[in-house]
Amino acid sequence: MATDERVGRQTGMADRLFREHPRSLGMSWASHGAGAVKIGTELIGAGCAAMIHAVVPGLFTDTAGKTVARIYDHIQARKAGAANPDSWPDYEI
């Protein structure tokens, strides 16, 4: 019986850690992960552009700002098109 309880806890934790959030957004684990990697990569690129801009102000003058605005618009469009947009957080990662 103790083994059954442990398996149940582990399954519940796995569901909470890997499936609960993507499901709440109407996504699979894989599609959520792919989107998060894409957004993360874009943000890293924007951060690198901003750091170069800090040293050489004439370069990448609007790269970081445009990237953040584009990602925000993408997330807001996904939220608006969701089955239950009120259940979405103000931001999604």
Side-chain angles (χ1 to χ4, degrees):
M1 181 145 95
T3 303
D4 291 340
E5 289 176 20
R6 188 170 357 125
V7 169
R9 280 195 307 266
Q10 290 171 347
T11 302
M13 180 176 284
D15 188 60
R16 185 176 58 79
L17 291 174
F18 294 102
R19 296 183 209 102
E20 187 176 292
H21 173 66
R23 276 190 203 140
S24 74
L25 301 174
M27 302 171 78
S28 69
W29 175 85
S31 65
H32 180 272
V37 167
K38 181 180 182 301
I39 289 172
T41 301
E42 290 183 62
L43 289 172
I44 289 169
C48 290
M51 290 188 295
I52 292 168
H53 173 74
V55 176
V56 184
L59 296 176
F60 303 111
T61 57
D62 57 3
T63 302
K66 283 186 175 182
T67 301
V68 170
R70 187 178 66 252
I71 290 170
Y72 176 81
D73 290 343
H74 168 76
I75 291 170
Q76 292 306 307
R78 282 192 45 84
K79 179 179 178 178
N84 188 2
D86 294 333
S87 70
W88 274 51
D90 289 336
Y91 58 89
E92 170 225 346
I93 298 181

